[in-house]
Amino acid sequence: MTPPWDISVAVIITGREGILMLNDETRRKLRLMNVGEFIDELEIQQQDPQTLALPFDDRFQLLTDGVYQRKYNDKVHRLIKTAKLRLPKSDIHDILYIDKRPLNRGIIADLASCRFVDESRSVVFQGYPSSGKTFLGCAMAKEACRQLHKTRYIRLPDLLEEYAEKSVLPGGKNKVLNKYAAFKVLVLDEWLMPELSKADVEFILELTERRFDSTSTIFCTLYKREDWVKRLRGGTYAESIVERFAHNTTWIETGDVNMRQYLSHA
């Protein structure tokens, strides 16, 4: 069934003379129906003689496109803001492909399409300090936001600290687990950098279990895959965590080029 506001807007803006001027009452009603963007787009059209000269169907299409783009941009902006990216200005278009940096343009482009999110696959950016892991993770997270996926960035030390603080409260453990299990894309920076306690590993196991096969996780880490079990204290829990990302994860080496140093001399 067509929403009532669709009919209202059509009546307001159509007619033999084309787009009509809006009175204050009409503006008020449009804003109450949460379609105030139509007002802005209509006023833009009224100021453009070339647009007013177009057939009404063409003008209505431009109006619809303009409102859709405004709403899309606003939602992307909110998603990026709530993702709390460490490097909010990072962007896939600014990734540097330089000599000695083992980044494959084709693989990066495929990841930027966010197909890995649709397939609930994960990504690991692994390399030396200052090799650009955080930048790459944040750039991919921003693309996920542009694809309207609910996304969050957090350093593993901060996540573990939050869990430790909330776990002493009634229901606190589940609240933290539910919160971070819900993000379609979760960027875990400084992955395996801190020394982990048994409680930390148990938390990570439960979180990865809840996220496995339904969400995507982006790991930014110094450690190669063969070091993960040891960094997770070894044993069954460690092996179970690693196994969850053994077959559905894209591993990308970022190399040993110090990008901070490189950019400081660029």
Side-chain angles (χ1 to χ4, degrees):
M1 180 180 295
T2 303
W5 68 263
D6 287 343
I7 299 174
S8 300
V9 170
V11 171
I12 291 167
I13 65 177
T14 58
R16 293 185 178 181
E17 300 303 322
I19 297 177
L20 304 177
M21 298 298 291
L22 303 179
N23 58 35
D24 290 341
E25 179 64 11
T26 299
R27 293 170 185 270
R28 185 186 69 83
K29 290 178 179 178
L30 283 170
R31 296 198 185 281
L32 286 176
M33 291 186 290
N34 199 29
V35 289
E37 294 89 352
F38 274 95
I39 298 173
D40 298 330
E41 291 299 319
L42 283 167
E43 289 179 345
I44 290 173
Q45 287 196 358
Q46 292 286 359
Q47 301 301 317
D48 185 0
Q50 291 184 339
T51 300
L52 291 176
L54 295 173
F56 173 76
D57 288 350
D58 291 344
R59 299 208 305 271
F60 186 71
Q61 182 64 57
L62 290 173
L63 175 67
T64 303
D65 292 344
V67 172
Y68 174 86
Q69 192 64 46
R70 281 173 180 260
K71 287 185 172 291
Y72 168 80
N73 290 343
D74 288 346
K75 187 168 185 178
V76 169
H77 177 74
R78 289 194 301 271
L79 286 170
I80 292 174
K81 184 177 181 179
T82 57
K84 299 185 178 181
L85 303 181
R86 171 67 179 82
L87 301 174
K89 293 184 179 181
S90 60
D91 196 283
I92 59 166
H93 301 100
D94 296 329
I95 295 174
L96 296 179
Y97 300 90
I98 60 176
D99 293 342
K100 299 182 180 181
R101 198 178 194 205
L103 296 180
N104 184 294
R105 288 179 181 268
I107 294 176
I108 296 297
D110 182 66
L111 292 176
S113 72
C114 289
R115 186 160 58 94
F116 77 96
V117 181
D118 298 330
E119 297 173 352
S120 298
R121 293 175 57 84
S122 293
V123 180
V124 176
F125 292 112
Q126 184 273 320
Y128 283 74
S130 301
S131 60
K133 301 181 295 297
T134 299
F135 183 95
L136 290 165
C138 289
M140 291 302 163
K142 182 181 285 187
E143 287 305 303
C145 292
R146 288 169 175 161
Q147 295 290 331
L148 305 183
H149 296 299
K150 188 178 180 182
T151 303
R152 179 66 187 274
Y153 165 95
I154 191 168
R155 297 167 58 249
L156 182 61
D158 293 337
L159 176 58
L160 296 176
E161 182 178 356
E162 180 179 345
Y163 179 71
E165 291 176 353
K166 298 292 179 59
S167 62
V168 299
L169 303 174
K173 292 183 178 181
N174 270 330
K175 286 182 180 179
V176 176
L177 284 167
N178 292 337
K179 173 183 176 180
Y180 288 98
F183 293 109
K184 185 61 177 177
V185 177
L186 178 64
V187 182
L188 289 177
D189 202 357
E190 299 182 16
W191 171 247
L192 303 181
M193 181 175 288
E195 294 295 328
L196 302 176
S197 67
K198 181 180 178 182
D200 292 335
V201 175
E202 291 175 352
F203 165 68
I204 292 172
L205 175 62
E206 182 61 28
L207 180 61
T208 55
E209 171 61 26
R210 296 190 185 197
R211 293 187 56 78
F212 176 70
D213 207 29
S214 60
T215 61
S216 298
T217 306
I218 299 175
F219 301 93
C220 303
T221 183
L222 296 169
Y223 299 99
K224 297 181 179 181
R225 70 178 76 193
E226 56 264 29
D227 298 325
W228 282 28
V229 171
K230 181 179 179 180
R231 296 296 304 174
L232 288 161
R233 295 174 59 91
T236 304
Y237 281 12
E239 292 174 357
S240 297
I241 294 169
V242 173
E243 175 62 22
R244 282 164 172 74
F245 302 100
H247 309 293
N248 67 336
T249 301
T250 300
W251 294 72
I252 295 180
E253 294 184 11
T254 58
D256 57 4
V257 176
N258 189 315
M259 295 305 296
R260 289 194 181 94
Q261 182 179 15
Y262 176 87
L263 291 172
S264 68
H265 294 91

